[in-house]
Structure formats: C-alpha cells, structure tokens
Amino acid sequence: MGNSALKAHLETAQKTGVFQLTGKGLTEFPEDLQKLASNLRTIDLSNNKIELLPPLIGKFSFLKSLALNNNKLTALPEELCKLKKLETLHLNGNHLRQLPAAFGQLSALKTLSLSGNQLRTVPTQLSGLRHLDVVDLSKNQIQNVPDTVGELQAIELNLNQNQISQISMQISHCPRLKVLRLEENCLELSMLPQSILSDSQISLLAVEGNLFEIKKLRELDGYDKYMERFTATKKKFA
C-alpha cells in the first residue's frame, strides 16, 4: 500500500478517532500511527499479515478498542498492558500461545476474543479483570480449566472446540458467570462438576458434542435446579 493511501487514512483517523485498515496485506503495524497516539479511540488492523505488535502500542493511552483478527501474531508485548482505557480486544485467528504476564492490568477490559489461537489453558491473568463481560477462548488447544477460573468475573465464557477433559469445581464459584459454552470438547460426564448444575449462577450450559449423551445430563442431581435458572432467564428475555 502506498504512502499517499496511508496518509489519507491517517488524516481521516485524526478527525474520527478511528483507524481502520483491514485486508491490505500489511506485514507490520504502521509506525506512523504513533503520531495519533492521543487521538485514537479505535484501531482495526484485522485480516492482514502482521507478525509483531510493537512496544509503541503502549503509547495509545486513550484506545478503547483494538482489533487484530486474522493476523500472524505469536506473542503480545507487555506494553499492551498499559492501555488502561481498553474495553474491547479482538485477537481471533492468530498464533498466540500465552498472554503477557501483566495482562491483568487492562483494568477496563470488557470483551476479549481469542478464538482460533494456540492457548493450552485458561490464562490465569483473566481472573484479575474486574469488568470482564465476555471471554471467547473457543478453537484453541485448552485441555483443562484450572482452579483460578473461580475468580473470573465474566458473564459469558466460550470454550467451544477445545480439547478439555477436566474442569475445576471452582468454576461454579464464578460470581457473575451466566453462560458457559463447552461444546465439542473431550468431556466425560463424570468430569463435569455437578456443582455447575446445583450450585452456580450459570443459566445456560452448552455441552453438545462431548463424550456423553445430553439425556444423561438430565439425570444428574441438580439438573432441576439448573433448569429453574434456565427457565427464569428465558422468561426475563422473552
């Protein structure tokens, strides 16, 4: 892409606070963007070929939304964690294996999408994020859900299409978790904590495509309690 085209995008972004440049074959984060570090509220560089998010991302202190879906990122810089106003982070379809250690400092984060990466566990850093509403970790390589998940503040957790065979009972202690998606994993019925049914806030549990028949789930202790929550929620939104 030529400099004049980039310049035009930068001029528009200066007025709107939005920089969107998707599907242009970019191989790196445009360094010129840092001139607008105090202007930009939204950056969308999805569907490019960016391999590296440079440390200068930490300068965009007013950024509310960052999208880098379908790029070639293998890691994220610690500097990303300085973005105290960031509410939405979309990183679907990259090659990420882990999150920066300080990721829990993204204190405003509400929506996090990491579908289609190479995560092997639910990152412990997520438990520190107090405003998190929706977490999408579908299509990764997650095999177990650790005890730290009990501190997760999210309302919806999507773990579809992983390799999960074990889930910590602590998941039923998530204070705000209403929607838990576990479709197409490797769960035996005996590995699904019954407290999810009998003793949690979860009112939508999606478990199709695991190693048991759904009708067996209905025979478990606590299923009637789960159905009460499910029905009450349905009525609320009807």
Side-chain angles (χ1 to χ4, degrees):
M1 194 185 74
N3 272 346
S4 56
L6 181 60
K7 203 173 168 194
H9 277 280
L10 287 169
E11 282 171 10
T12 308
Q14 191 162 8
K15 293 173 194 148
T16 61
V18 177
F19 185 84
Q20 186 175 29
L21 202 56
T22 58
K24 297 288 186 209
L26 292 183
T27 52
E28 48 188 52
F29 187 90
E31 295 231 331
D32 282 350
L33 269 188
Q34 57 187 321
K35 295 174 188 165
L36 302 180
S38 57
N39 291 58
L40 290 183
R41 304 292 184 269
T42 301
I43 295 176
D44 185 355
L45 292 166
S46 297
N47 304 317
N48 282 295
K49 295 174 181 175
I50 298 168
E51 294 180 16
L52 203 66
L53 191 56
L56 64 86
I57 192 66
K59 295 180 180 176
F60 293 82
S61 47
F62 296 98
L63 203 62
K64 283 193 163 187
S65 173
L66 176 61
L68 284 155
N69 296 325
N70 304 317
N71 276 281
K72 296 186 171 185
L73 299 173
T74 53
L76 300 169
E78 289 289 339
E79 287 79 2
L80 176 69
C81 309
K82 292 179 181 173
L83 303 181
K84 300 288 186 240
K85 290 193 176 354
L86 194 68
E87 294 178 7
T88 308
L89 181 58
H90 292 295
L91 295 164
N92 300 326
N94 281 282
H95 309 293
L96 299 170
R97 288 166 187 252
Q98 56 192 40
L99 298 179
F103 198 82
Q105 292 174 14
L106 290 171
S107 49
L109 201 61
K110 291 180 181 175
T111 303
L112 174 63
S113 301
L114 287 161
S115 179
N117 278 281
Q118 294 170 19
L119 299 173
R120 292 186 177 272
T121 186
V122 176
T124 54
Q125 298 94 314
L126 302 187
S127 299
L129 297 166
R130 293 282 159 237
H131 298 286
L132 209 51
D133 290 335
V134 179
V135 182
D136 185 354
L137 300 175
S138 61
K139 299 181 185 173
N140 276 277
Q141 297 162 15
I142 297 170
Q143 295 174 1
N144 66 352
V145 180
D147 287 349
T148 46
V149 76
E151 293 164 42
L152 192 68
Q153 298 290 322
I155 297 168
E156 177 171 343
L157 176 59
N158 186 344
L159 292 165
N160 289 348
Q161 295 180 313
N162 277 282
Q163 300 156 19
I164 296 168
S165 58
Q166 281 187 308
I167 299 180
S168 166
M169 282 181 64
Q170 297 298 322
I171 199 160
S172 48
H173 295 161
C174 292
R176 304 197 314 154
L177 191 61
K178 297 275 192 288
V179 178
L180 177 59
R181 302 186 187 279
L182 286 162
E183 293 179 19
E184 295 180 47
N185 276 283
C186 308
L187 281 167
E188 301 275 2
L189 190 57
S190 58
M191 286 296 167
L192 191 70
Q194 291 200 14
S195 51
I196 289 177
L197 297 173
S198 60
D199 194 25
S200 79
Q201 302 288 321
I202 294 164
S203 56
L204 178 63
L205 176 66
V207 286
E208 287 78 9
N210 279 281
L211 306 179
F212 58 87
E213 293 177 49
I214 293 296
K215 63 182 181 193
K216 296 279 187 209
L217 181 71
R218 297 177 192 138
E219 294 164 12
L220 290 182
D221 280 350
Y223 188 78
D224 49 346
K225 276 191 167 178
Y226 161 69
M227 280 313 291
E228 280 172 24
R229 296 192 303 272
F230 176 81
T231 311
T233 303
K234 234 177 161 177
K235 277 183 184 154
K236 204 161 77 176
F237 291 108

